[in-house]
Amino acid sequence: MKMQLDQSPFFRKTITSWYDSNIACWLLIIMMFFVFVFALAGIFVASSEPDFGEHLWFPGFLVFLSGFLVLKVTLRLSARSKND
């Protein structure tokens, strides 16, 4: 015997976890923006000082990662707001 699926006409709103809530996403965007600005300052300092030139990859990597994360979370928030 096969189990019948519930064919309820009521569609419930999906429950999001606390770490994927709108408030948590906005806090993450704000924090990653500060990391982005901090890493840009690191790039500026490392490029102005010849002794730090070999360490320029680290703030560059931070700029890439924080910018990528801000972009992904912003896209997630915009997709979620379109579904509501």
Side-chain angles (χ1 to χ4, degrees):
M1 212 178 213
K2 289 186 178 181
M3 183 182 238
Q4 295 291 327
L5 294 175
D6 185 20
Q7 298 295 330
S8 175
F10 300 107
F11 297 101
R12 294 189 174 104
K13 187 176 180 182
T14 57
I15 300 172
T16 57
S17 304
W18 67 268
Y19 52 83
D20 198 26
S21 65
N22 288 343
I23 294 172
C25 287
W26 279 111
L27 285 174
L28 183 65
I29 288 172
I30 292 168
M31 288 173 25
M32 286 301 110
F33 177 74
F34 286 130
V35 170
F36 186 82
V37 171
F38 179 72
L40 283 178
I43 288 174
F44 178 73
V45 169
S47 62
S48 67
E49 188 68 35
D51 294 337
F52 297 149
E54 64 187 34
H55 303 291
L56 191 60
W57 67 270
F58 188 73
F61 191 58
L62 277 178
V63 164
F64 171 73
L65 287 179
S66 60
F68 180 75
L69 193 57
V70 166
L71 180 67
K72 290 292 285 187
V73 173
T74 303
L75 290 174
R76 178 184 296 171
L77 281 175
S78 67
R80 188 182 305 156
S81 68
K82 287 180 184 177
N83 289 338
D84 288 341

